[in-house]
Amino acid sequence: DGETASLPLPKVNVVDMREELKGGNRSAISKALQDALGKVIEKGQQAILYLNRRGTSTYVFCRECGHVLRCPRCDQTLTYHNNQNALICHTCNYRRQMPQKCPKCGSSQIRQYGLGTEGVEKLVQEIFPKTRTLRWDWETTRQKGAHEIILSHFANHRADILIGTQMLAKGLDLPLVTLVGVILADVGLSLPDYRAGERVFQLLSQVAGRAGRSPLGGMVIFQTFQPEHYAIQAAALHDFTGFVRRELEFRKELGYPPYSRLVKLEFRDVNQEKAESAAKEFAGLVKTWIEQGGYRATEIMGPAPCFFARQAGSFRWQVILKGPDPALILKDKPLGNAHISVDPLSLL
């Protein structure tokens, strides 16, 4: 891989999807991406279209101005829950109804976002009827050995466009791939976790490295409703240092690691009410311990349902402690059946 390592990083083109809508293109594939795909197919080369699966169809934003609905109490993204037609904060449990209009610009173009690989494949086939497509997602890779089969098909040029949610960011050597399109670069940014920006930056940087690492050169297109977001800007410029600087400013402002430490206490039960009441009861105890021990710099967030509210048949609720050393408060205390993570990698 020495040869590809010395090749320059590909140019990244950031497409503002708000402008696409204003120009009358309601499709999930921008004009720029359509043109680029057309050229790649014409030259007998290959393209990858990547969808970030995490957070699909959960967050709500304005397609006019790009404003994402956030919790007024803790600035985390609100998640749309279809069964309740409500927006919920997974950090502090704040709830509100789905608004009719954007609170920022007043537009009625306020939507929850959702698009799967099948939808994208259908679109591609409508625009380029003769093109051979392959899907690489949870559904197509369930069977043992499916990953290898799909990849070998693509590597042997039995398809022109690979559309996927999984593993596409991993280090694949595909010399004919000269275009990578990220269908919606901001999906992961809107997950209610302080490390969301870091994960999106890492992912986009990896995905961007998949194109143009061939002597044929290449191009990457990030489609986004938030082109001004620093994680997207930095990934487009391959600017690691710039990203770290901005990310640390944001963490410092909100008192997140590395400027504080976190402890996540998770309560699981097959009965939703029991999980909720265990979390509430425990949060009450922690409040008392904070007051008794004089830990004024420690803050309790929650209790709230976890973002992935149900896993393996159990309902999940969480209480998060944020402060200089929140684990100290719990030392020698009765913790019941709480699942504890100190400095968790994710708050989802």
Side-chain angles (χ1 to χ4, degrees):
D1 202 37
E3 196 186 325
T4 48
S6 61
L7 289 165
L9 284 162
K11 182 185 176 331
V12 179
N13 179 4
V14 177
V15 174
D16 186 344
M17 294 302 277
R18 298 171 300 193
E19 294 303 318
E20 291 288 311
L21 280 170
K22 283 175 194 161
N25 177 16
R26 308 195 73 77
S27 157
I29 300 178
S30 63
K31 187 80 182 65
L33 186 51
Q34 287 181 29
D35 293 348
L37 282 167
K39 282 179 189 149
V40 164
I41 295 160
E42 210 175 287
K43 288 180 183 164
Q45 294 166 359
Q46 291 177 302
I48 291 175
L49 295 182
Y50 182 80
L51 277 98
N52 184 355
R53 190 181 59 82
R54 293 189 77 136
T56 318
S57 186
T58 52
Y59 73 99
V60 173
F61 73 105
C62 172
R63 292 168 67 147
E64 195 79 33
C65 74
H67 175 69
V68 175
L69 265 70
R70 294 180 176 276
C71 170
R73 294 206 285 244
C74 52
D75 204 36
Q76 291 289 13
T77 331
L78 293 171
T79 304
Y80 178 70
H81 286 262
N82 201 7
N83 53 354
Q84 301 170 46
N85 192 28
L87 298 170
I88 299 174
C89 170
H90 285 279
T91 304
C92 75
N93 204 24
Y94 165 86
R95 288 158 190 255
R96 65 161 292 172
Q97 279 185 309
M98 174 79 186
Q100 302 292 306
K101 288 197 157 76
C102 170
K104 194 175 175 194
C105 76
S107 155
S108 57
Q109 289 294 313
I110 191 138
R111 302 271 189 281
Q112 49 283 8
Y113 190 84
L115 182 69
T117 43
E118 286 173 51
V120 172
E121 185 177 44
K122 201 165 152 254
L123 264 173
V124 169
Q125 287 167 349
E126 280 167 16
I127 304 166
F128 306 105
K130 293 193 175 76
T131 301
R132 300 165 302 163
T133 55
L134 257 180
R135 255 176 46 226
W136 189 355
D137 54 23
W138 179 78
E139 214 177 0
T140 59
T141 53
R142 270 190 299 188
Q143 309 224 294
K144 203 173 182 311
H147 289 283
E148 290 71 25
I149 294 165
I150 292 171
L151 257 185
S152 78
H153 276 331
F154 194 58
N156 293 318
H157 206 173
R158 291 201 194 120
D160 310 297
I161 299 174
L162 180 61
I163 299 155
T165 54
Q166 290 187 8
M167 315 281 283
L168 292 187
K170 301 286 183 283
L172 311 171
D173 185 26
L174 300 163
L176 276 179
V177 173
T178 55
L179 171 67
V180 172
V182 179
I183 296 299
L184 196 67
D186 23 311
V187 163
L189 285 177
S190 300
L191 286 173
D193 184 4
Y194 75 96
R195 294 187 63 204
E198 181 186 344
R199 285 203 194 92
V200 167
F201 176 77
Q202 282 174 339
L203 183 81
L204 292 179
S205 302
Q206 279 185 313
V207 169
R210 295 275 52 79
R213 307 298 271 166
S214 89
L216 299 168
M219 182 182 180
V220 178
I221 292 177
F222 292 166
Q223 298 189 153
T224 172
F225 282 94
Q226 301 178 56
E228 59 294 318
H229 195 288
Y230 64 91
I232 289 172
Q233 290 287 335
L237 297 167
H238 309 289
D239 178 13
F240 178 74
T241 329
F243 172 73
V244 171
R245 194 178 61 243
R246 280 295 304 271
E247 181 67 10
L248 285 173
E249 279 169 19
F250 154 74
R251 303 255 185 114
K252 192 173 188 177
E253 206 177 300
L254 293 176
Y256 277 116
Y259 302 99
S260 70
R261 300 193 66 184
L262 299 179
V263 170
K264 178 168 114 172
L265 299 129
E266 196 180 302
F267 300 85
R268 301 174 194 161
D269 203 289
V270 287
N271 178 309
Q272 191 171 358
E273 281 77 27
K274 282 184 182 167
E276 183 178 344
S277 65
K280 286 181 173 165
E281 200 177 311
F282 196 84
L285 276 174
V286 176
K287 267 197 184 98
T288 315
W289 298 338
I290 286 176
E291 280 158 23
Q292 286 170 351
Y295 297 103
R296 284 187 194 84
T298 301
E299 182 185 337
I300 299 182
M301 297 158 76
C306 298
F307 178 77
F308 297 111
R310 200 173 179 189
Q311 272 181 349
S314 287
F315 290 94
R316 304 165 66 223
W317 273 69
Q318 66 187 12
V319 175
I320 295 160
L321 305 183
K322 183 167 80 166
D325 188 3
L328 203 61
I329 297 164
L330 305 175
K331 204 168 177 273
D332 305 325
K333 298 285 194 297
L335 301 175
N337 56 0
H339 296 260
I340 297 168
S341 342
V342 178
D343 298 324
L345 286 175
S346 161
L347 297 181
L348 303 174

